[in-house]
Amino acid sequence: MSDDILARLGAIIAERRQASPEDSYVARLQAAGLNRILEKVGEEATEVIIAAKDAGDDAGRDALVGEVADLWFHCLVMLEQAGTGPEAVLARLEERFGLSGIAEKAARERSHQ
């Protein structure tokens, strides 16, 4: 279910890139350029951290979920700007199944040397 939602949202974001910036938030972000998109990702990431610190009750957890949704959305906009989408991220996550986090990190470090 989740990957279907991400794929659907990725497709909508790609489609909205062609819309008028006056009519679409995504088009407005895309027109503003990569730096503005990255500012939004950073802003949303900060809001996630703050919300996570306050997630000790149902209201706090609900706020955290909302902030993570905002972050994921803006990350999808960033991916679209970079010419890719959620499918690439989901495929990468799937590749990592069955690996321990330590082994996966070591493999990445070896490939960057």
Side-chain angles (χ1 to χ4, degrees):
M1 177 177 93
S2 296
D3 58 342
D4 182 52
I5 291 169
L6 291 175
R8 287 176 28 215
L9 186 54
I12 290 168
I13 288 170
E15 177 184 304
R16 298 243 172 101
R17 188 173 190 174
Q18 307 305 316
S20 165
E22 293 83 34
D23 298 330
S24 167
Y25 176 69
V26 170
R28 189 175 318 140
L29 276 177
Q30 296 287 358
L34 182 60
N35 284 343
R36 180 64 185 135
I37 294 167
L38 297 177
E39 287 172 4
K40 287 301 295 180
V41 170
E43 175 186 316
E44 297 301 339
T46 300
E47 291 174 6
V48 165
I49 292 166
I50 293 167
K53 291 181 71 88
D54 297 330
D57 60 16
D58 287 345
R61 284 186 290 278
D62 187 56
L64 174 60
V65 167
E67 294 300 344
V68 171
D70 291 346
L71 175 60
W72 287 11
F73 171 81
H74 286 90
C75 285
L76 291 173
V77 173
M78 177 183 61
L79 287 168
E80 171 63 27
Q81 180 77 9
T84 191
E87 304 81 17
V89 176
L90 293 170
R92 181 64 51 90
L93 288 171
E94 190 166 354
E95 288 171 8
R96 294 179 181 176
F97 270 96
L99 290 177
S100 77
I102 294 169
E104 189 276 329
K105 183 176 182 194
R108 275 191 286 141
E109 288 172 353
R110 281 193 302 273
S111 72
H112 292 301
Q113 293 178 351

